[in-house]
Structures are given as structure tokens and as C-alpha cells.
Amino acid sequence: MKFSDQFEARFSDMLTHYPTKRSVLVPTLLYAQDEVGYLSPDVIHEIAQRLDLTELEVSNVISYYSMLTTKPRGKFNVQVCTNIACMLRGGEELLDHCKTKLGIGHKGTTPDGTFSLEEVECIGACSWAPAAQVNYDFHENLTVEKMDKVLDEYRKN
Amino acid sequence: MADLVSHPDEVKVVSKRFGKSATNIDRYLELDGYKAVQKALGMQPDAIVNLVKDSGLRGRGGAGFNTGMKWSFVPKQSPKPKYILCNGDESEPGTCKDRLIFEHDPHSVIEGVVIAGIATGSHAGYIYIRGEYRYLLEIMQKAIKDAYARGFLGKNIFGSGYDFEVYWHGGAGAYEVGEESALMESLEGKRGIPRIRPPFPAVVGLWGGPTVINNAETLASVPHILLGGAEWFAKLGPPKNGGTRLFCLSGHLNRPGVYELPMGYNLKKMIYEVGGGISGGRKLKAVVPGGSSCPVLTADEIDVSMDFDSMMKAGTMLGSGGVVVVDETTCMVNFALRIMKFYQHESCGWCIPCREGTDWLKKTLTRFHHGGGVKKDIDNIQYLSENMLGRTFCPLGDAAAMPTISIVKKFRKEFEDHLEGKPCPFEKAGVTEPAAVLA
């Protein structure tokens, strides 16, 4: 299992931050997922070994956190918030629009692997609702038209 | 990245450096940065604790506990290291204020963590930021690095002989981790399952050591108290409710945004003047005053002072500062359902009343909203909710129950209007598909 130099530098640095090795687990899983795309059996094995944990212990933590996934996602994961503040300003309509436009449902991925779609809980953009995140980028005060432009921009990349 | 707004009634304390490039450490220093921590280094720890106590600063995460009091519970002598833990796992629906603090003024949080450390005799602090806020974690990582480079963190800070380390930590998506004991579990690399109390974190916390856990806004307020004094801060709000709050106005408003207003600001004024009133000139129906876990207020109940004690008297909570405004076109059954879907999704499943209760309530409310409800369901929804109250390790069960109970009590008629297979009176024509259920 090979991670980037940046990952390795950050990992070694983080190990010095805590009295126990295990404490680096949650952020390390997310950084590993960012590089590999998902938490594959190989990634789980590697991280478990590095932290003196069993694979089961690592999987047990993965299943708790909503951002962590053991299944591949599209290159761009479109996360539309439909929690109350977004719902009141059209978040559900926005999600429906994305479903139609991308032709996929909640947690689905387009056949070409470009997009995944997810209905997510509050992402902390309530005052700029409705909002969505594409990977880690926030897109706020959205309308159906703006959402189309956002998706088109990503499609070009 | 998020747009800033302003209103003449604002009193800028925590937000005074917003939009002023204070992420740059030199700029932060020009704006009185790191003066408070140097002042703290020359004070007796007890004097810092008392100053914060007297300022009337109360926990901005929602519980509203006196911050200085919380610090005073940390034992002076401890065989295990003591820790400061900044809670930046902001995820209460309706709340988006810590995001602005991290984005515009990360050093103020670092300073607050160090001051809390000096006051309690701790030498290490962690700043936990939710996983979705990756760009903010990067801002914080840089801020910490810059502070180390200047000798403001690490060994012998500011040449005082005092050592203090600050570390960043990122989450990976979990509302419940915002609860203090689950936060510690998560930081220790585990599932965010709450711990039973007592012992309280101030005595047995991170890795068994005494731990102070404060919200990011609480800690960002601390340097201002050190410099401005307890009396100045206390007088910004009503008695026992010192300072200001970042109120996150959202929902059906003309001017939603995050505004810093004095504690005790009138809610009605907040909605109609600061927030610019209801969109489209429509009528107000309900307000969630402090994040989705607070009991809702009806349009007739909004002439209240937004401070912890007045809100408690009004039968609700000041909570986390997330004010969600709901207009007359909204179906309150659907609103209750969306709130319950959230809590059902976020319940960790550790305590049975919460795990089973949120699931039953989501199912009942879903069926009810789609016209399949019977009259006794209305009382059943309330009965189930009431039986979750106070019966769980962490307050997630209460958080799910409280808004539901209030909606059933205050909007019972809307529930009755859904009975006997009648379609939802608020549903837009043609929309009959059941609401999507999160997996």
C-alpha cells in the first residue's frame, strides 16, 4: 500500500500529537480515503497494521462516520443538504433536480464514474441555504440553474 | 467563503476581525492579537477563572453552562495530564457560526485554548474541527504552524517558562460527536459513543485526564474578556448572560446571515429588523430559536429576550444560536418529520430509547404525513417522545424529543388535518412521492 509523501509526513507528525497511536485513526482514514477514493480492504489492512488494531476495530470505526465509505464513489461526490434550513429554501427540490440531471439516486454513481450523489445532513451553511458540497467545496445560495452551472464546471474538469 | 452581512444593531466582539484578513498572523497581531494570552501569563490561574466566571460567559455550544465555573471543576493536582478540547464539530441543524470564526479568526480560538490551559494548569489543547470543514481545518493547521514559528506555542511560550502545545484534529462526519463525551471518544480514535457521567470530563476526560471542553465561540470570546474585563463583557447582556452571540438567521427570511447581537436581543426584532422580515411578505408560523433540538416557538411567542434564562422561561432554549424561521406555507408535520429523520440518522444506537424511539417516530411521522395516520398516532408520537426524555447517556434522545413534543402540542390541528387519508394540505400539487429516507 503506497500513500503520497504528504500523507506520510502528516501521518508521522500526527503520531506525535497524542499519547495513544489509535487517536490518529479518524483523520487518517479520511486522508487515506481522499487518496485512494474509498476505504478498500487494502487500506483497512494497512491502517490497522500501522496502528496495532485489528481490521475489525478499524471497520467498526468506519461504519460510524458518515463521510467514510468502503465503496468507490464518483470523482465528484455531490452532497446536497436537505436538513431544515436548506429544506425551507428548496434543498429537496435541488436534490430531486440532481437526481434527474445525473440519472442517479441517493448514494448512486454515474456509469462513467464522474459523479456520485448523496443527500446529506446539515453541512453548516444554514444562513446561505440551500447548499451543497462537491467533495470539500461549498456551493451556497443555490438555485436549480446555479446547480446546473456548478455540475457543468466539474464535468469539464 | 461564506458571505458576511451586517446590521447597525450588531455589537462586534467575536466577529470584530471578520473580513479583516486576521488569518494572517501579522494582521492578527496588529488587531490586538495574542495580547490576551500574554496578560494571562502574568495572572494567577484562579484570577483568570474568576474573571471568566464574573464575565457571565456561558457555553455557546448550547448548554449555556458558566464557562469559568466549568474551568473551576478541574482539579489543581492531577497525576494524569490535563487537556483543553475545543469543540468545533459544529453540526446542530441551523448553526453555521463556528465556521465563520475558523474562517476569519482562527488565532482567537488558539488564544482561547491557551488561556483556558493557563487557567487550569494544562499544557496541551486540541482543536477538533468537523470533517466537512476541510478548508477550515487547513486554515487552522496554518494558524497553528504560524503560532509555533513565532514561539507563541510550544516550549516556554512568550518566554514565560510556561509550555503549551496546540494540535488540530479532524472529524469524519457525525453529529453526535458534538456531544462532549462522544467528542472525546472520537478524538481517541473510536466510534463516537457517549460516556456515562459522572465522572465528568473535568475530572476524567481525554485518556483519563481532567479535560475542559468548550465550544469554539466560547473560547474565541475568552481573549476579549481578558482584555476588556469581566464587567464590560457582563454588561453587554442581561444579568448572568454576559456578552454577545453569533446568531445564525436562516429559513424564510429576506436577509438571512450570521449576525453578532448582544445577549438578550429581542427575537421579534431579530426576525423583522435584522433578518429583514419574512420572504415574500408571508406570515410567520414558527421559529426554531437555537438549533433543531430546541422546542419551537409559535408566531405569538416571539416577543422574548434571547438569553439563556428568558428562553428557558419561555419553555425553550437559547441553544446554539441557530434561528430557523418558518413561514405559513410550511407543513409542520413534514417539518417534524425532517427533524426526526435527522435524529434517527444520527443516533448512534447505544441507548435503546433513542435508537428505537427515533426510528419509530420517523416511521410514524412518515406514515402520518402521507395520509396513513390514525388519531391515536398523535398522542402516540407525544408519548414516545416524552419517554425518550432523560433516559439516554447523551442528550441526543432529548434533542429529538423536545422539538417533536412542542410541534405536536402547538400545531396539533395540522396533525388532525392529515387524518383519514387526506393529502397533506400544504403539499404542492402533483407531489405525492414519499419523502426520501436517508439510508
Side-chain angles (χ1 to χ4, degrees):
Chain A
M1 197 76 229
K2 197 96 173 96
F3 293 110
S4 69
D5 293 346
Q6 196 198 5
F7 178 96
E8 295 299 350
R10 194 192 291 116
F11 181 75
S12 323
D13 182 40
M14 281 180 74
L15 282 175
T16 67
H17 294 178
Y18 312 89
T20 63
K21 263 189 183 180
R22 182 179 182 142
S23 298
V24 308
L25 183 59
V26 176
T28 299
L29 284 169
L30 194 55
Y31 281 119
Q33 177 173 295
D34 290 343
E35 297 209 344
V36 182
Y38 69 110
L39 297 166
S40 64
D42 284 351
V43 174
I44 294 172
H45 175 78
E46 173 73 22
I47 291 174
Q49 231 175 14
R50 287 188 188 201
L51 302 178
D52 302 328
L53 297 169
T54 63
E55 288 168 29
L56 183 64
E57 283 171 309
V58 174
S59 299
N60 195 18
V61 168
I62 293 171
S63 67
Y64 178 86
Y65 295 90
S66 62
M67 292 173 76
L68 302 177
T69 176
T70 52
K71 292 193 186 95
R73 281 180 185 146
K75 189 174 168 199
F76 303 112
N77 189 29
V78 182
Q79 304 147 79
V80 183
C81 175
T82 61
N83 208 308
I84 49 172
C86 284
M87 176 182 96
L88 295 175
R89 296 180 79 94
E92 290 181 334
E93 288 77 4
L94 206 60
L95 176 71
D96 285 343
H97 177 74
C98 290
K99 282 182 180 169
T100 313
K101 178 150 172 126
L102 299 173
I104 49 176
H106 171 58
K107 292 204 172 171
T109 301
T110 55
D112 65 354
T114 307
F115 291 106
S116 288
L117 183 63
E118 219 178 310
E119 176 181 11
V120 294
E121 295 297 356
C122 189
I123 53 174
C126 317
S127 292
W128 312 283
Q133 266 189 296
V134 180
N135 296 346
Y136 291 107
D137 300 336
F138 279 88
H139 297 279
E140 294 161 340
N141 298 310
L142 287 168
T143 56
V144 164
E145 293 74 30
K146 270 194 196 170
M147 192 77 221
D148 280 342
K149 274 191 198 148
V150 167
L151 294 177
D152 289 343
E153 273 308 304
Y154 283 100
R155 202 189 298 275
K156 276 186 217 156
N157 292 317
Chain B
M1 218 172 69
D3 301 331
L4 294 175
V5 284
S6 67
H7 187 271
D9 283 2
E10 277 191 288
V11 176
K12 297 195 183 241
V13 178
V14 175
S15 66
K16 78 175 200 188
R17 300 189 189 96
F18 287 9
K20 293 187 176 163
S21 313
T23 48
N24 178 308
I25 195 163
D26 289 314
R27 185 77 186 115
Y28 183 71
L29 288 168
E30 279 167 29
L31 298 166
D32 298 329
Y34 289 106
K35 278 187 185 159
V37 67
Q38 293 183 67
K39 189 174 176 190
L41 284 164
M43 289 169 75
Q44 286 300 317
D46 281 348
I48 305 173
V49 172
N50 287 331
L51 183 78
V52 175
K53 226 186 245 179
D54 295 343
S55 75
L57 174 65
R58 292 167 71 168
R60 302 305 196 227
F65 195 80
N66 182 291
T67 306
M69 192 78 86
K70 202 174 194 180
W71 293 3
S72 74
F73 296 152
V74 175
K76 290 224 162 29
Q77 302 298 328
S78 165
K80 288 195 172 168
K82 303 179 205 175
Y83 298 102
I84 308 301
L85 174 50
C86 167
N87 187 347
D89 188 60
E90 173 168 78
S91 32
E92 172 82 5
T95 318
C96 48
K97 63 186 178 62
D98 298 341
R99 201 178 139 190
L100 292 182
I101 299 174
F102 291 130
E103 186 173 326
H104 293 274
D105 203 6
H107 287 285
S108 69
V109 179
I110 298 175
E111 230 188 313
V113 169
V114 183
I115 295 167
I118 298 165
T120 54
S122 149
H123 296 281
Y126 293 90
I127 298 173
Y128 188 120
I129 298 179
R130 70 180 292 191
E132 290 85 346
Y133 289 178
R134 172 59 65 83
Y135 79 106
L136 300 174
L137 187 62
E138 283 165 5
I139 290 171
M140 185 53 77
Q141 286 164 337
K142 184 178 183 299
I144 292 174
K145 206 173 147 201
D146 291 347
Y148 268 103
R150 300 291 172 102
F152 300 169
L153 295 175
K155 297 263 174 261
N156 188 22
I157 57 170
F158 296 96
S160 63
Y162 198 85
D163 301 339
F164 199 87
E165 309 288 342
V166 172
Y167 307 108
W168 54 269
H169 190 94
Y175 165 76
E176 193 182 10
V177 165
E179 189 277 326
E180 59 178 18
S181 71
L183 183 71
M184 295 189 293
E185 288 288 301
S186 178
L187 193 105
E188 291 181 10
K190 302 175 204 159
R191 289 169 75 89
I193 305 288
R195 298 177 184 174
I196 192 93
R197 277 143 289 184
F200 288 94
V203 183
V204 181
L206 279 172
W207 305 288
T211 304
V212 170
I213 303 164
N214 287 139
N215 171 262
E217 186 187 352
T218 311
L219 288 165
S221 306
V222 168
H224 300 291
I225 295 169
L226 264 282
L227 295 180
E231 201 185 337
W232 158 77
F233 193 81
K235 279 192 175 153
L236 292 173
K240 293 183 182 159
N241 285 271
T244 55
R245 278 211 81 163
L246 292 173
F247 287 104
C248 321
L249 270 52
S250 71
H252 295 134
L253 281 174
N254 285 318
R255 282 196 305 272
V258 178
Y259 299 88
E260 183 166 14
L261 296 162
M263 196 71 106
Y265 197 85
N266 183 280
L267 178 58
K268 193 172 186 175
K269 230 175 136 189
M270 198 182 292
I271 294 170
Y272 288 98
E273 292 180 26
V274 181
I278 316 300
S279 334
R282 289 187 295 268
K283 275 195 199 135
L284 175 70
K285 182 184 270 185
V287 184
V288 176
S292 65
S293 55
C294 301
V296 302
L297 295 173
T298 64
D300 301 331
E301 296 172 325
I302 59 165
D303 198 5
V304 285
S305 157
M306 290 287 270
D307 62 77
F308 288 106
D309 303 317
S310 307
M311 292 307 275
M312 190 93 85
K313 260 186 228 148
T316 182
M317 300 185 304
L318 186 61
S320 59
V323 180
V324 187
V325 175
V326 180
D327 78 7
E328 58 183 337
T329 63
T330 311
C331 168
M332 291 309 285
V333 177
N334 192 34
F335 194 72
L337 167 61
R338 187 61 189 86
I339 291 177
M340 193 51 66
K341 266 173 69 182
F342 168 70
Y343 287 107
Q344 188 269 348
H345 181 252
E346 299 299 330
S347 173
C348 74
W350 187 251
C351 311
I352 297 163
C354 172
R355 181 185 70 210
E356 298 300 312
T358 54
D359 201 47
W360 277 24
L361 284 163
K362 184 182 89 171
K363 285 175 182 158
T364 312
L365 284 162
T366 303
R367 187 180 63 200
F368 206 97
H369 180 54
H370 296 291
V374 290
K375 199 158 185 195
K376 73 173 184 194
D377 281 344
I378 306 176
D379 290 329
N380 212 21
I381 291 167
Q382 193 162 343
Y383 172 77
L384 271 169
S385 306
E386 281 168 357
N387 278 288
M388 281 159 67
L389 286 176
R391 294 201 164 96
T392 48
F393 275 36
C394 90
L396 199 147
D398 295 349
M402 290 185 295
T404 313
I405 295 169
S406 72
I407 294 171
V408 174
K409 272 192 188 153
K410 294 177 183 179
F411 296 94
R412 197 179 175 94
K413 182 155 184 322
E414 289 199 19
F415 281 82
E416 287 166 353
D417 288 345
H418 280 73
L419 284 173
E420 292 150 17
K422 271 182 281 185
C424 170
F426 297 91
E427 203 83 302
K428 286 156 225 138
V431 184
T432 47
E433 224 184 302
V437 174
L438 291 171

